Amino acid sequence: MMHLIFLWVILALLWSGSYAAVKIGLDDFGPFTLVSERLLIGAGLLYLILCLRSGHLPLSGRALIDYAVPAIFGNLVPFLLIGFGEIHVDSGLAALLMGIAPVATVFLAPLLIPDEHLTPRSILGIGFGIGGLLVLVGATALSGLGHHVTGQLAILGAALCYAETTLYVRRWITLPALQMATGSLVVGAIPATVGAFMFEHPFSVVSADMAPILAILYLGVCSTAIATLIYFYLVPRLGAGRMQQINFMVPAVGTLFGLALLGERLEAKTLVALSLITIAVYLVESARRHIPAASPNIGETS
């Protein structure tokens, strides 16, 4: 159990750092280029590991569908929706809207997955999580509701994509984590790369500054390759509801990365928000006293 919690915390840290890395990377690269390069780096690294372990990538019709669902709804579509939404929506409100992902997952999981249960403790945990996000971004973020509705719907759509992906992986995926992570990144990289060449100039670099290039390397290796591998390992073992609590933690921890990398100011509300979100994660985590049994078809390749 402890090693699963440790991996969950590592995943939260890896995804939290992506906020600052994306902001730095966009100084020199367009959004399509940024997405395609992080996916290409991640896919290449995981495919290399797969080959070194003498593994293979299943290419049956079912396997391709299993790759495509998280590739499209867990990577490509939400990346683009968030990118479009944040053009019109304040980042604080965006963080609140993204909080619908763990809420939707906790309420929908019992309808699709027999061993996922909605309990008073998990509902209380959701309440603490939303409260933590409100403290983090401030109640004034709610004043933006109703303005730029299209942008807000885009971010809500991204949140629901993340919820749907986790539910799909928890309910139907049986391939080992390494194969799933590699296949989903390969499938996601193809349309992202096509989009980069159609709408941007991926080989043109505005400046010689190494920071955007290092940011893309971090995104590709850490926030994409390693994080995706951990994600596919954890979902069948922790369950969809507990897994999605990470979307409460990521914005709060991301502010700490902003402090370290972007010189942003640390405020007391960040620490309060982290405390509330930690309580939320504990409540949802402890709502069940056993780890969901992994599917017998899930290999120990990760």
Side-chain angles (χ1 to χ4, degrees), residues 15-290:
W15 278 345
S16 298
S18 66
Y19 283 89
V22 166
K23 188 171 183 179
I24 294 171
L26 287 173
D27 288 342
D28 273 9
F29 301 96
F32 262 109
T33 300
L34 198 67
V35 171
S36 67
E37 288 181 348
R38 70 182 290 183
L39 290 176
L40 286 170
I41 292 171
L45 178 59
L46 291 185
Y47 187 73
L48 176 62
I49 294 173
L50 186 65
C51 291
L52 290 175
R53 299 189 62 173
S54 301
H56 72 285
L57 201 60
L59 296 176
S60 65
R62 173 58 192 270
L64 291 176
I65 293 174
D66 287 346
Y67 301 150
V69 170
I72 295 172
F73 296 103
N75 286 322
L76 187 62
V77 172
F79 287 169
L80 294 176
L81 287 175
I82 291 171
F84 170 78
E86 289 198 344
I87 295 174
H88 308 285
V89 178
D90 178 76
S91 60
L93 180 57
L96 278 177
L97 293 173
M98 286 300 298
I100 196 66
V103 175
T105 304
V106 165
F107 280 94
L108 291 175
L111 303 178
L112 299 173
I113 305 165
D115 59 356
E116 299 263 357
H117 305 284
L118 183 63
T119 67
R121 197 178 185 91
S122 60
I123 295 174
L124 182 61
I126 288 293
F128 270 95
I130 294 173
L133 287 180
L134 277 171
V135 171
L136 179 67
V137 304
T140 54
L142 294 173
S143 63
L145 283 173
H147 304 289
H148 302 295
V149 174
T150 303
Q152 293 172 21
L153 289 176
I155 293 173
L156 280 174
L160 292 175
C161 281
Y162 286 133
E164 177 272 336
T165 299
T166 299
L167 291 170
Y168 182 87
V169 171
R170 177 69 177 89
R171 178 65 178 84
W172 285 288
I173 295 300
T174 58
L175 287 172
L178 183 54
Q179 276 86 344
M180 271 305 305
T182 305
S184 65
L185 292 183
V186 169
V187 172
I190 295 171
T193 302
V194 171
F197 279 99
M198 287 181 61
F199 303 112
E200 298 170 0
H201 304 284
F203 293 117
S204 64
V205 179
V206 177
S207 69
D209 188 1
M210 284 296 296
I213 296 174
L214 292 175
I216 285 182
L217 288 175
Y218 172 83
L219 288 169
V221 175
C222 299
S223 296
T224 303
I226 298 174
T228 304
L229 185 57
I230 294 174
Y231 170 82
F232 281 114
Y233 179 84
L234 287 180
V235 170
R237 292 163 173 83
L238 283 181
R242 287 193 277 186
M243 187 67 207
Q244 271 296 317
Q245 301 313 299
I246 205 165
N247 280 304
F248 284 141
M249 184 66 73
V250 165
V253 178
T255 60
L256 300 181
F257 277 92
L259 172 71
L261 300 178
L262 302 175
E264 297 175 354
R265 184 165 55 93
L266 177 64
E267 299 181 14
K269 67 178 183 179
T270 301
L271 301 178
V272 174
L274 275 172
S275 300
L276 291 174
I277 290 170
T278 300
I279 294 172
V281 172
Y282 168 76
L283 288 171
V284 175
E285 167 63 29
S286 60
R288 296 175 60 199
R289 297 185 179 278
H290 65 279

